Amino acid sequence: MKFPLVKAAAAFLACAAMSAGPVQAQQATLRLISAFPENGIYVQHLQAWVKKFNEEGKGVLQLNFLGGPKTMPPFEVGNAVKTGVVDIALNTGAFYTNVLPEADFLKLSDVPVAEQRKNGAFEAINKVWNEKGNMQYLARMVEHQPFHLYINKKIDKPDLTGMKIRITPVYREFFQALNANVITTPPGEVYTALERGVVDGYGWPIGGIFDLNWQEKTKFRVDPGFYDAEVSLIMNLPAYKKLTPPQLAYLNKQLLALEAQNGFWDRYAEEETARQAKAGIQTIKFDDATARRYRDMAYEVGWATAAKQSPEVAARFKSLLSRPAAGSRP
Ligand code: 173
């Protein structure tokens, strides 16, 4: 009695498999957007990767780069990924704290992403990103780019009393702890804010200030740097789950290839430091003990803020992303 049914089911499955064949072999195209400016180093780096991705991924997976802030305001990109308006974004946690406050914690990492993939950090990140952000955290494209404070008024100690500083959530609590008045803007508004004297300085990583001509309006860089700029690819979770096994394998291969290039950022940091000096930007250096206190304060304030916003995740991330002896960094 049962046999014909089983046979029918088997025939149905065979048919389904046959029709799934061509579907599986089909090429999918993912829509990719950048929260960072079109003409900046991050998008240049990304586009070289996209070109190779599309050349080698014909018939499997393609990326359609839609653009940057001219296409969508940077602080809306996280929500666009969450809701599936776009599939993938190049973004930084500070730009989507509106979706996921925990996203900004990744700046506090001092464990290389290659190690994060081995020590469970990547899974821990994805658990939060999946559950709270409806996103998959795909890859970290930027590492070894500490943030700095750039200012137009000379200081001889870490005190920003009376100064207005352009920030994103990356720097908020740290600069406030240094007594600054802070103003949040996306990168695209920094030049005008400096030009009009709306701000006396800004936070930004060691690299990239020439991309939007900020060197014209920058007198000093304060050393040392602190944290590590996190710029990553994130993907809408349902879109990620829809990928076929060959598409997923291809995506993963290319994501690892992208991260394998992260040594680039060490060289870039050196080049940009030299370029800033050549452009007449002076370095403000504190004595060793003050420099150490400044940097340690950045991390202490950063982790304390994280613990206030999301205690369990902050504790988990701290154990996975932070080297021990945080107080004794070089
Ligand atoms: O805009 C910013 O200063 C910022 O938050 C950021 C984050 C990562 C890389 C570069 C800038």
Side-chain angles (χ1 to χ4, degrees):
M1 272 290 272
K2 270 187 187 161
F3 190 57
L5 262 180
V6 171
K7 245 174 113 176
F12 173 79
L13 283 176
C15 264
M18 262 160 49
S19 65
V23 170
Q24 283 218 342
Q26 237 173 40
Q27 171 177 293
T29 300
L30 303 172
R31 294 148 54 86
L32 165 68
I33 203 162
S34 167
F36 285 96
E38 288 81 358
N39 52 349
I41 183 69
Y42 302 143
V43 169
Q44 283 170 33
H45 196 83
L46 178 75
Q47 276 183 315
W49 176 75
V50 169
K51 187 166 176 283
K52 191 164 163 283
F53 190 110
N54 286 342
E55 279 164 10
E56 295 174 6
K58 287 205 171 68
V60 183
L61 199 56
Q62 297 285 287
L63 296 172
N64 175 16
F65 181 60
L66 304 174
K70 292 194 175 85
T71 308
M72 186 182 290
F75 300 157
E76 289 174 24
V77 169
N79 201 42
V81 173
K82 182 183 179 181
T83 56
V85 169
V86 296
D87 298 308
I88 302 186
L90 182 71
N91 207 348
T92 185
F95 293 2
Y96 60 100
T97 52
N98 51 349
V99 175
L100 205 58
E102 292 87 349
D104 188 40
F105 301 178
L106 301 183
K107 71 188 177 194
L108 299 167
S109 144
D110 50 15
V111 170
V113 70
E115 208 175 311
Q116 290 177 34
R117 286 190 181 268
K118 292 188 199 136
N119 78 350
F122 229 75
E123 284 82 2
I125 293 168
N126 263 315
K127 191 170 181 319
V128 180
W129 264 238
N130 286 184
E131 287 171 7
K132 291 183 76 174
N134 196 35
M135 302 174 186
Q136 184 75 10
Y137 181 79
L138 293 180
R140 182 157 179 161
M141 191 192 79
V142 176
E143 294 184 272
H144 322 296
Q145 293 285 296
F147 293 101
H148 285 262
L149 169 64
Y150 298 86
I151 46 176
N152 287 324
K153 290 180 181 164
K154 196 159 187 177
I155 54 171
D156 53 15
K157 57 180 190 304
D159 184 358
L160 304 175
T161 302
M163 288 174 78
K164 287 171 288 177
I165 308 291
R166 172 271 173 187
I167 59 148
T168 66
V170 164
Y171 326 90
R172 180 177 294 125
E173 286 77 13
F174 179 41
F175 290 174
Q176 281 176 337
L178 300 171
N179 300 322
N181 293 312
V182 297
I183 301 169
T184 303
T185 83
E189 288 169 28
V190 173
Y191 187 93
T192 313
L194 289 165
E195 191 175 38
R196 296 191 182 153
V198 173
V199 295
D200 306 301
Y202 56 94
W204 192 259
I206 188 64
I209 70 157
F210 294 87
D211 294 352
L212 296 173
N213 290 319
W214 300 342
Q215 82 283 359
E216 291 174 4
K217 306 285 170 198
T218 306
K219 292 205 177 91
F220 305 101
R221 183 190 70 246
V222 176
D223 280 3
F226 53 90
Y227 309 152
D228 189 19
E230 172 270 325
V231 178
S232 302
L233 290 170
I234 50 174
M235 183 167 182
N236 173 258
L237 188 59
Y240 181 75
K241 286 190 172 158
K242 244 174 44 194
L243 296 174
T244 64
Q247 288 166 351
L248 187 60
Y250 181 70
L251 175 64
N252 277 328
K253 181 182 119 176
Q254 292 295 350
L255 293 171
L256 290 176
L258 180 65
E259 284 181 357
Q261 293 175 25
N262 282 357
F264 164 83
W265 301 106
D266 286 309
R267 296 193 300 280
Y268 184 67
E270 273 176 39
E271 287 164 17
E272 290 280 287
T273 306
R275 196 175 169 199
Q276 287 181 18
K278 222 171 140 193
I281 297 172
Q282 297 172 53
T283 309
I284 294 177
K285 278 194 164 75
F286 305 126
D287 65 75
D288 286 355
T290 308
R292 190 173 296 244
R293 266 209 314 278
Y294 173 81
R295 204 175 135 83
D296 286 348
M297 184 178 172
Y299 281 92
E300 280 158 25
V301 171
W303 282 117
T305 304
K308 233 181 275 161
Q309 289 170 338
S310 185
E312 279 162 33
V313 175
R316 212 177 315 141
F317 281 14
K318 194 170 183 186
S319 73
L320 291 165
L321 295 172
S322 182
R323 299 243 182 250
S328 57
R329 283 187 184 81

